[in-house]
Amino acid sequence: METVAQIPKYNLSEEQEKKLILREYRALLRSLKSKLKPGDRKTIRLAFEMAADAHKTMRRKSGEPYILHPLAVARICVEEIGLGIRSTICSLLHDTVEDTDISLEEVERDFGNEIARIVDGLTKISNVIDVNASKQAENFKKILLTLTDDPRVILIKLADRLHNMRTLESMKREKQLKIASETVYVYAPLAHRMGLYNIKTEMEDLAMKFLEPETYKEIAQKLAETKRERTKYINEFIKPLDEKLEKTGFDFEIYGRPKSIHSIWTKMKKKGVAFEEVYDLFAIRVILKSPAEREKEDCWKVYSLITDEYTPSPERLRDWLSNPKSNGYEALHTTVMGPEGRWVEVQIRTKRMNEIAEKGLAAHWNGPDESRFDKWFQQIREVISAEGTDGIDFLQDFKTSFLAEEIYVYTPKGDVKMLPVGSTALDFAFSIHSAIGVKCIGAKLNHKLVPISQKLRSGDQVEIITSNKQKPSEDWLTFVVTAKAKSKIKDALKEEKRKIAEDGKYTLQKKLEGTGAAFSQHNIDEVVSWYKLSSPLDLFYQVAIKNIDLKDLKEFKVHGDRLEPPKPVKQLPELKPEVVPTISKKETELIIFGESSDKIVYNLANCCKPIPGDDVFGFVTTGKGLTIHRTNCPNAAKLLANYGHRVVKTKWAKNKEISFLTGLRIIGLDDVGVVNKITNLISGEMKINIAAITIEAKEGLFEGNMKVYVHDKEELDDLVSKLRALTGIHSVDRFDTETL
Ligand code: MN
């Protein structure tokens, strides 16, 4: 994709700009109307004027006056998250301390301590993901600490990020990639965890639009093309339900809702199917008006009515009425077989539950659910303050422990424990108590004996079996997922190592004294560096487990009580800091197969097998130079979000000499001569080399996997469209040759 220079589409006179700003400001006040108390209007006006004045010389990348951004963020907070007056003031001021002359003291003087604290939180996290990876994790921790201080900080931050995503078009391509990657990696899961489903979905869709523009367009177009047909189907599906519900006298709404582009794409990838084969492209939703004491009963009544009409799929019933998700979400979900044998997802919830589903945390914070969030925040604080949480590991652990969907499992006494998806019996043991975790040797899962690595599922009843002889081992770290289990296992391993090392320390002391040298720090350090170890603890440990026999000590000379190594200590080859190819950080673009590529070592990533013409980026790898990934590589989001500073903008040069191996999967009718037709087209007509081909036929269909050599994407696209045009061919898709 070409990066097109952005020309500000903005061309308003000063007068028109003023009008536009005022119009936005008035719209903000209108949506706040029901919440305004005497005096609020004045305070908001003050914040607006302060921000407008501070930003008055600034413009956004699109050319718009900057103040339109804080105004938009404030409107998102009010209209889409349901926040109130104070959050509005904070939103208006959120970029002032960071980017203008206004100081935190001034904010505090004019608006008080509470507002100043939130603005301070927003300032601290304004550049979360920046500069380098370790700093980023530090910053992320900072966010989380501020978040647990006052959740409004994170809600306003999410609104800020959403508006930046909505206006991402005017940024440069690298910036777009970086911001979009961070958004799917950190902010969308955070929005999900805060219960802001609409915001999460919009963030994911917008990110995909920039990260995988072609697929995005393709799915959007297919959705548009099939819209009429889908609407017709959904109306037909709803009709009998509508009549039944009407008869029973429920006060309800029922409507269809298309799935998001991102979720359709996720499903296509997960199941390896084409758009046409994603079966539940839409969901219908029933919203009931029901008094508090009858909510649950009414939802189940509706469930019963619907499943009388359509057969439900038993594995797809989700009861979040009895056990709400930890973000507060309550509803009943099921998938039923509609007319023509198509699956339709049905969501049943009350108006109150719907409010929570749409506005998340803000809708019910300070309500009865507050304790649930408190518990979550408490867990986060525990993990952040634990020692040894560093760098990327922390981010990854945090994501799996706190941002993932959760499962519910039961203790033998019937108490419910909530754990992230993917948790094992061992995670469960640690969640009860770390003393139980370290002694866990197995578990009974629904009364059957299972190993500690057994993955748990919602509804499982788990009984932990312990033994005093058990000790944590290194490999435990490979299967636990919760941050608590991980950090407790690491602590225990370190402690164990320290205990063993005691023996080694004693051995070393005896041997040193045997040579006449003292057991001093100087001498220990000499031995540590002789064996090229990282610390005295390491040395003691290696001696204790007999990896090191200390025979070399004989060759040391002893002066007084000081050791002297026999010859200069052999230096390890120096660990060079990341060998960053000499590309200036500026706007340079690396041309693969062009002039600049002669000077740079690069290789093509195995995970996504880019070919010329693909949208790609370069990633600086220690020692290996540059690895070229596709921007839609499964690893791309993680790399771009975590190591933005190591990403180099990359473009292909025109190439007709080198060929690249790429995989194609062809599905079609098993017809006589079909293989012939395909191979004729590829090697005969198009003169493309086939490296391998396998064909499997089943029940009248065939699936062919082949590896072909192409020069670039253009040639590949040409080949794909010609193959698709052959009669009897259903689908032709590219896949990574790795998976062959
Ligand atoms: Mn902002």
Side-chain angles (χ1 to χ4, degrees), residues 60 66 69-70 73 91 94-95 99 126 157 160-161 163-164:
R60 302 201 86 212
Y66 195 88
H69 166 65
V73 174
S91 305
H94 84 270
D95 278 332
D99 298 336
S126 62
K157 185 69 204 165
D160 182 27
R161 176 51 65 121
H163 186 245
N164 287 336

